[in-house]
Amino acid sequence: MLKIIIPTAMLMPMTWLSKPNMIWINSTTYSLLISLISLSYLNQLGDNSLNFSLLFFSDSLSAPLLVLTTWLLPLMLMASQSHLSKENLTRKKLYITMLILLQLLLIMTFTATELIMFYILFEATLIPTLIIITRWGNQTERLNAGLYFLFYTLVGSLPLLVALLYIQNTMGTLNFLIIQYWAKPISTTWSNIFLWLACMMAFMVKMPLYGLHLWLPKAHVEAPIAGSMVLAAVLLKLGGYGMMRITVLLNPATNQMAYPFMMLSLWGMVMTSSICLRQTDLKSLIAYSSVSHMALVIVAVLIQTPWSYMGATALMIAHGLTSSMLFCLANSNYERVHSRTMILARGLQTILPLMAAWWLLASLANLALPPTINLIGELFVVMASFSWSNMTIILMGTNIIITALYSLYMLITTQRGKYTHHIKNINPSFTRENALMTLHMLPLLLLSLNPKIVLG
Amino acid sequence: MKPSIFIIIMSTVISGTMIVMTTSHWLMVWIGFEMNLLAIIPILMKKYNPRAMEAATKYFLTQATASMILMMGIIINLLYSGQWTVSKDLNPMASTMMTIALAMKLGLAPFHFWVPEVTQGISMSSGLILLTWQKIAPLSILYQISPTINPNLLLTMSIMSVMIGGWGGLNQTQLRKIMAYSSIAHMGWMTAIMMYSPTMMILNLAIYIIMTLTTFMLFMYNSTTTTSSLSQTWNKTPLITSLILVLMMSLGGLPPLSGFIPKWMIIQELTKNEMIMMPTLLAMTALLNLYFYMRLTYTTALTMFPSNNSMKMKWRFECTKKMTFLPTLIVMSTMMLPLTPMLSILD
């Protein structure tokens, strides 16, 4: 695992010492090389996890997320090139350093064995993200957005710290490899209920759950493109990953405790999808669609069957790539029109046809078209929840329909129809942007050929 | 003031604290506190304006009252135990009086009212000494009598301190008052752990002193005393903006910076002793502290102009103040988290 961590840490001095016209090239190339190294971790043994040291390990749940994280760094760097072109050199290097630092912390978070180390790194990822959102965002609301992001997450995660230390005292260790064998079943006494809540609320806020999702539209909308990408693709999955790790300890109280959160997620899925139909702000639409997809993951994790876990993992990877791609597309719009309002940039198919092809592919992936892994994830989750309770199919089916509705709404509003007159003189698509979309789409399409590697 | 006089006064302050820390006779403890108090009054009044005199007077009155209550506790202990040795077995009444006296000296709630006003009235460097060095002596006495302190009293005071330190600092823009409320909150954390593991209190004190020293030094480097003048730092010394950012996050207790170490260790000790709701409450109210630190970073580091420094708004002088050990302190206040397993040397 050090063969990924040390090169990522070394990317930072490399950025600071590169020549001014080479910083983007150097960092993008070397981060692509690091992501190739991480691909080797996808080769998992069937019965157990790959255990590298006392501190780091990787199993079939964390390996796809690790590859996603390392894959995203070059993409984030490519996406940020244009909006940073006017800053001075030190600030560009600072921005790249923040992204690399975030990547480093995320790699260590996904491969941590000890839960306290996971917690420390989980909190540590907040700092570079906060700096990226507040310093390099574009509107004045970004200050408020940063505070909401920081404080929602912290209020959820401080009880997690207390709960983890309590579990360490009662169980002797917090090393994940050991506690999955030593976990004692906990009943539903009042104190165990609070323990369950303390453990889960941090991840519920991060996912986010429907009632606690207020930070997400603010943070996504105000963040610069790399911030949005990493937030949508990876930071939300931290919540899902954490939930999957910690539910090992919390049986069988989860059977009773899960009910309120299941209801919130199921209802929230439908609510946030419906709100997407009425959005005028493009990034806000994609942000609410993230909440909706993540609610499916919450439902899957709380059901705790093997199929639902497989669906949750596939859905996380698929949503990571799709959502990040949608944010890149929205950003390419924003860079040309300098507004996020959807109706201001209509009819782009006649002006930027290749970009329209990417929009089509991204929207189709978002609405879970077969045979993409989005569909596999959603299908597994729907089937598992149907076996948990027959009535959930109503809400799940409604959600699938409304997801299709808003994805097509987004596609049709931006791409089809007559173009507006003021966008006649926008720049054509850069090769960098087309490369960015290809690099997002290609893993997604290739994974539909072999989904086994992302089904945990 | 003249350097020779300053040296004499500072050495009196230092020897006063040393006497308190090392003596085994209760009367010497009181003498040490009085030496410390009398010698620090001229330091508080370095600038000689009415505001500083008012602050020094308030400080003198509260500390003298506290010393008298401490003396009363000492005499009651003498009455019941018959000897002057500083030891662990104290009479409960004496212990309660001493705890209240030392809480007044430290600035724990509900005896915290003097801290913001005194810190605001004096210069930055005097405030530095007030908030860091002056805490060592009372905490060392609390360390020595910690087995006999009434837990209800101490825990009530500590929870109230953390809350008041959090809520009180929210409406402040003056940096010295912000640091004063930060000191009240950190004292609350330190006394919370006093009963279960006094070693953790020493750890918290050490890290708090390092972080507060660094913060004050960075503020003195810019010669700023208000939040709005702190927002000019990008113009004078741009490197300090990122340092203040990291330092404020460390003061607020965000992982992975070293400000997280005391909070983590304290919560660990408290949960080992079956107290669950209290560390949760303490941690939540510490988030209020984090809010006003983040507000400082917003004006300083995170909302900079997009252009270079082409308009000179302030004269950029070379810094003429003595900044001893500033780089070392900065590193120690932010990057010591991986060294946490070394804490076993404190035992």
Side-chain angles (χ1 to χ4, degrees), chain B residues 50-96:
Chain B
R51 187 84 173 81
M53 285 185 349
E54 174 193 346
T57 318
K58 280 185 187 155
Y59 185 70
F60 178 75
L61 285 174
T62 52
Q63 299 282 312
T65 315
S67 291
M68 280 298 110
I69 300 180
L70 183 68
M71 194 56 169
M72 173 97 178
I74 295 173
I75 301 290
I76 293 179
N77 182 36
L78 175 65
L79 177 66
Y80 280 102
S81 68
Q83 37 91 18
W84 289 94
T85 319
V86 175
S87 64
K88 292 200 302 273
D89 34 332
L90 292 177
N91 187 26
M93 197 186 334
S95 164
T96 312

Side-chain angles (χ1 to χ4, degrees), chain A residues 171-379:
Chain A
M171 226 181 276
T173 175
L174 275 179
N175 197 337
F176 183 69
L177 302 169
I178 300 178
I179 58 178
Q180 53 182 342
Y181 300 115
W182 278 7
K184 297 193 288 279
I186 62 174
S187 51
T188 47
T189 60
W190 273 107
S191 54
N192 282 338
I193 289 180
F194 280 116
L195 180 66
W196 194 95
L197 276 176
C199 288
M200 293 294 247
M201 285 319 283
F203 303 117
M204 295 289 183
V205 169
K206 199 85 174 147
M207 283 294 275
L209 183 66
Y210 174 59
L212 304 163
H213 68 291
L214 200 52
W215 64 271
L216 186 107
K218 286 187 205 282
H220 271 146
V221 162
E222 304 303 332
I225 176 61
S228 287
M229 282 167 77
V230 76
L231 259 177
V234 188
L235 288 176
L236 267 55
K237 318 302 179 278
L238 263 183
Y241 173 76
M243 271 214 298
M244 285 201 225
R245 290 279 182 231
I246 207 126
T247 44
V248 167
L249 299 170
L250 299 172
N251 275 318
T254 318
N255 294 336
Q256 273 81 28
M257 284 304 297
Y259 277 107
F261 297 102
M262 294 279 287
M263 289 192 289
L264 268 178
S265 307
L266 287 169
W267 185 239
M269 245 174 9
V270 176
M271 278 284 108
T272 43
S273 308
S274 321
I275 267 288
C276 284
L277 287 171
R278 298 293 294 169
Q279 287 292 332
T280 53
D281 187 342
L282 188 56
K283 277 178 102 166
S284 186
L285 196 151
I286 307 172
Y288 277 107
S289 97
S290 281
V291 181
S292 167
H293 285 277
M294 283 296 117
L296 273 173
V297 176
I298 295 182
V299 168
V301 174
L302 288 175
I303 299 179
Q304 293 183 301
T305 68
W307 271 48
S308 75
Y309 272 15
M310 293 199 315
T313 323
L315 197 54
M316 286 202 284
I317 304 293
H319 174 259
L321 287 168
T322 315
S323 202
S324 172
M325 183 167 179
L326 282 170
F327 273 115
C328 287
L329 289 167
N331 185 51
S332 70
N333 254 7
Y334 180 78
E335 279 169 9
R336 287 170 174 75
V337 186
H338 286 289
S339 159
R340 295 191 303 260
T341 316
M342 269 200 298
I343 53 177
L344 281 182
R346 305 193 294 270
L348 288 175
Q349 188 167 15
T350 35
I351 305 183
L352 302 173
L354 186 53
M355 203 50 84
W358 301 124
W359 271 101
L360 178 68
L361 282 175
S363 302
L364 292 178
N366 201 15
L367 57 92
L369 195 71
T372 61
I373 47 175
N374 301 61
L375 175 77
I376 296 178
E378 279 201 32
L379 207 57

